Amino acid sequence: MWYLPFWNLRLGKFIKYIPYFIISGFMNGVDVIIILLHINPVLWQKGLGKITDAIVAIPKSVASKI
């Protein structure tokens, strides 16, 4: 629902003025966060909601599987 004002005001047309490398970097950052949040569940560990907790827990999760 938060996107409805943007849709009503047709603000999506301004995305063409943002350089490609900015959008690409933003999307890569989102991808890295998603991957980091999914490492623990892939290793059969409890999924964590915060990215900082997930990063701290990765070595422990990997060590428990070795």
Side-chain angles (χ1 to χ4, degrees):
M1 296 308 242
W2 59 270
Y3 58 85
L4 288 177
F6 295 100
W7 179 71
N8 283 335
L9 295 173
R10 306 281 192 241
L11 295 177
K13 62 185 173 191
F14 293 111
I15 195 74
K16 63 184 172 186
Y17 297 113
I18 299 174
Y20 174 77
F21 65 89
I22 300 291
I23 300 297
S24 176
F26 175 76
M27 295 304 294
N28 284 332
V30 170
D31 292 341
V32 168
I33 290 172
I34 290 171
I35 289 168
L36 289 174
L37 287 173
H38 283 86
I39 288 175
N40 284 332
V42 165
L43 296 173
W44 296 97
Q45 301 292 322
K46 178 183 172 196
L48 302 168
K50 292 169 56 177
I51 186 66
T52 53
D53 294 340
I55 293 171
V56 170
I58 288 171
K60 181 180 174 185
S61 298
V62 172
S64 70
K65 293 299 175 185
I66 294 178

